[in-house]
Amino acid sequence: MNQVKDLLLLFISSSLVSNVVLSQFLGLCPFLGVSKKVKTAAGMGTAVIFVITLASAVAGVIYEFVLVRFHIEYLQTIVFILVIAALVQFVEMFLKKVIPGLYEALGVYLPLITTNCAVLGTAIKNVQNEYGIVTGIVNGFATAVGFTIAIVILAGIREKTEFNDVPEALKGSAIVLVTAGLMAMAFTGFSGLI
């Protein structure tokens, strides 16, 4: 029962308290670039959930059973990048075949998941915090859920601001950055949860 409690606390911590985008500032490129429409943001969030969760699982297994076993832990960053690149290619092929509309809507941002520092950062964080495979998967899933929450909220706000009277100096990227900053400040309110 204690392990379930610890995993639940880790989930809340990784998704809300230590949100990968709003408190660690990782994954800002897709966060700002794909957040124009809620539908596209949700699709990107779903792809990121799949990639980060799977990358956490595969990276955890490879780290524990290959890198540690052969004392080549120093190769972790290179190995994790290769794992992430392969998983993103799989997701890209899957979306192109099964959901071509979402594939087209994501455009160039789908291959950018490969270079999304949130994915690599999560894999490295799992190793640094000495999480086991299951704990690493939960952390990866929670981190990706936190990313999805943040990007969908920003997309919803951006859709609403299209119809608002925004001062000329704040139009475009400026209002998006101000909104993201306000969201980051709002998410600090979760810091008292854990």
Side-chain angles (χ1 to χ4, degrees), residues 51 54-56 58-59 62 78-88:
V51 169
L54 208 54
S56 295
V58 174
I62 289 174
I78 294 170
V79 170
F80 292 169
I81 289 171
L82 292 174
V83 166
I84 292 164
L87 290 173
V88 169

Side-chain angles (χ1 to χ4, degrees), residues 43-78:
M44 179 61 140
T46 304
V48 168
I49 287 172
F50 180 75
V51 169
I52 289 182
T53 305
L54 208 54
S56 295
V58 174
V61 169
I62 289 174
Y63 183 80
E64 192 169 314
F65 295 111
V66 177
L67 299 180
V68 171
R69 183 174 181 198
F70 294 108
H71 306 291
I72 52 174
E73 295 93 344
Y74 58 89
L75 292 176
Q76 74 182 19
T77 304
I78 294 170

Side-chain angles (χ1 to χ4, degrees), residues 70-113:
F70 294 108
H71 306 291
I72 52 174
E73 295 93 344
Y74 58 89
L75 292 176
Q76 74 182 19
T77 304
I78 294 170
V79 170
F80 292 169
I81 289 171
L82 292 174
V83 166
I84 292 164
L87 290 173
V88 169
Q89 289 300 313
F90 173 73
V91 169
E92 192 172 358
M93 291 185 305
F94 177 79
L95 288 179
K96 189 174 184 179
K97 184 77 171 169
V98 178
I99 313 170
L102 180 59
Y103 173 79
E104 304 236 346
L106 292 174
V108 71
Y109 294 102
L110 188 57
L112 281 178
I113 295 176

Side-chain angles (χ1 to χ4, degrees), residues 13 24 50 80 98 124 162 169 191:
S13 173
Q24 297 176 20
F50 180 75
F80 292 169
V98 178
I124 291 174
E162 283 183 30
S191 61

